[in-house]
Amino acid sequence: MRTIVEVSGVVPAAPTEVFARLERQLTASDYPMKLEVDRSRRFLAAQGGWWYRGEYEVADDPAGSRVTHRFRNAATGQWWAVLLANRFFAGFRDRVGAGFRAMLAELGDGGTGRNG
């Protein structure tokens, strides 16, 4: 598998709580996907379609929890076709970063819409 984008950030909450919130958020998704969950490693992977795989890890951090998201190309064989089909993901890193920051804010406030 090839990593297309990797982003990470810190949530000011305990890793076990952040992981539980992330798991709830991903299982509530309307998108059809296969979800892998490894609670002992605090690792989640969501795979959908023929090429998309999103991997999430929640680790200890002095400020709470470090959440890392890897957006991966899981296509086998002609993996490069994904890049051509998506026009080399122009502006994609910025969109992933913006979506990830919004997700971190939701994880930090527990889904209440209040940060603090």
Side-chain angles (χ1 to χ4, degrees):
M1 278 187 267
R2 297 180 186 278
T3 300
I4 297 171
V5 176
E6 181 175 321
V7 291
S8 71
V10 175
V11 175
T16 53
E17 181 59 31
V18 171
F19 184 83
R21 291 174 186 173
L22 179 60
E23 184 178 4
R24 281 192 302 272
Q25 193 175 74
L26 291 176
T27 56
S29 172
D30 290 335
Y31 297 106
M33 65 183 148
K34 177 184 172 198
L35 193 64
E36 288 176 39
V37 180
D38 184 338
R39 289 180 188 88
S40 64
R41 289 179 37 221
R42 292 191 303 256
F43 174 86
L44 293 130
Q47 191 157 337
W50 65 278
W51 70 271
Y52 169 77
R53 181 175 172 91
E55 296 179 347
Y56 300 85
E57 290 180 275
V58 179
D60 294 324
D61 187 274
S65 302
R66 174 155 301 275
V67 180
T68 301
H69 172 55
R70 289 177 194 87
F71 195 100
R72 303 190 72 178
N73 177 350
T76 57
Q78 297 177 333
W79 60 268
W80 50 268
V82 172
L83 300 178
L84 291 176
N86 289 287
R87 299 185 183 182
F88 299 103
F89 295 93
F92 187 70
R93 181 176 297 280
D94 292 337
R95 289 192 307 274
V96 169
F100 183 72
R101 286 188 298 277
M103 184 189 78
L104 290 180
E106 288 179 28
L107 293 173
D109 69 21
T112 65
R114 297 184 307 261
N115 287 317

